[in-house]
């Protein structure tokens, strides 16, 4: 059973990698967009750790991608939390399955399933090294349709 899950995730991200260049070639994104923003939970300590926030339209869904440094002692798989929220018609979708993939500046890639954290989904990655990381998201909605897209994040 675990082997089937790994094969399914591998196939999903292989498919995503085949389509990703087309998504990025569309020109409807900003490779360097970063802005300061408060953490979803809104705590002052968390907002100091926020490093990146971008919203994208993916197949009619509003997808918010946020990256922030993990709080010391609360790391969940890496130095940074890669967080995703999916909305449609201003309502957060809570019944989605989300996988994430990061391609690091050296070309090495990691794939992780995102875990649900309130209205957000999260995966932990080591993103503290310098260079541009490609962050990709694939989500499956309740109707069984898969949607994918991504952004670039520059590590420090």
């Amino acid at each position: 059973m675990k082997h089937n899950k790994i094969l399914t995730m591998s196939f999903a991200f292989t498919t995503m990698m085949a389509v990703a260049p087309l998504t990025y070639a569309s020109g409807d994104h900003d490779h360097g967009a970063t802005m300061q923003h408060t953490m979803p939970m809104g705590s002052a300590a968390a907002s100091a750790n926020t490093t990146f926030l971008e919203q994208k339209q993916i197949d009619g869904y509003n997808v918010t991608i946020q990256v922030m440094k993990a709080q010391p002692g609360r790391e969940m798989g890496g130095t940074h939390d890669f967080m995703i929220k999916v909305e449609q018609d201003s309502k957060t979708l809570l019944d989605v399955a989300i996988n994430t993939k990061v391609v690091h500046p050296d070309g090495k890639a990691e794939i992780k399933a995102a875990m649900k954290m309130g209205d957000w989904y999260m995966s932990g990655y080591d993103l503290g090294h310098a260079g541009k990381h490609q962050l990709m998201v694939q989500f499956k909605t309740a109707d069984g349709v898969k949607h994918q897209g991504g952004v670039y994040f520059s590590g420090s």
Side-chain angles (χ1 to χ4, degrees), residues 1-154:
M1 185 71 166
K2 184 176 181 180
H3 181 69
N4 287 341
K5 184 176 181 181
I6 292 170
L7 285 175
T8 301
M9 285 179 56
S10 295
F11 177 75
F13 276 104
T14 301
T15 302
M16 189 167 108
M17 288 302 299
V19 176
L22 298 173
T23 303
Y24 289 108
S26 69
D28 66 344
H29 56 280
D30 179 5
H31 291 282
T34 60
M35 60 162 69
Q36 295 296 319
H37 186 72
T38 58
M39 183 176 174
M41 284 57 88
S43 72
S47 65
N49 289 332
T50 301
T51 57
F52 178 87
L53 176 76
E54 188 167 328
Q55 293 186 339
K56 295 191 64 80
Q57 288 293 318
I58 300 175
D59 299 334
Y61 295 91
N62 185 40
V63 179
T64 304
I65 297 172
Q66 184 170 12
V67 177
M68 66 187 79
K69 289 183 181 180
Q71 294 181 359
R74 303 189 84 191
E75 297 90 353
M76 301 209 32
T79 60
H80 287 73
D81 297 332
F82 175 3
M83 301 182 69
I84 304 101
K85 184 185 337 184
V86 180
E87 297 174 299
Q88 185 177 39
D89 300 325
S90 299
K91 294 181 184 174
T92 302
L93 300 183
L94 302 175
D95 57 350
V96 293
I98 299 179
N99 290 316
T100 60
K101 181 174 184 175
V102 171
V103 179
H104 297 281
D106 64 3
K108 292 183 182 175
E110 294 182 77
I111 298 169
K112 297 182 180 182
M115 69 176 89
K116 190 169 189 254
M117 308 277 287
D119 288 353
W120 292 78
Y121 291 79
M122 191 217 51
S123 297
Y125 287 96
D126 288 325
L127 303 175
H129 48 282
K132 190 179 285 190
H133 301 78
Q134 185 178 17
L135 309 178
M136 292 175 275
V137 176
Q138 180 184 58
F139 60 98
K140 183 177 174 183
T141 49
D143 59 6
V145 177
K146 293 179 183 176
H147 311 274
Q148 53 203 11
V151 297
Y152 286 95
F153 168 77
S154 292

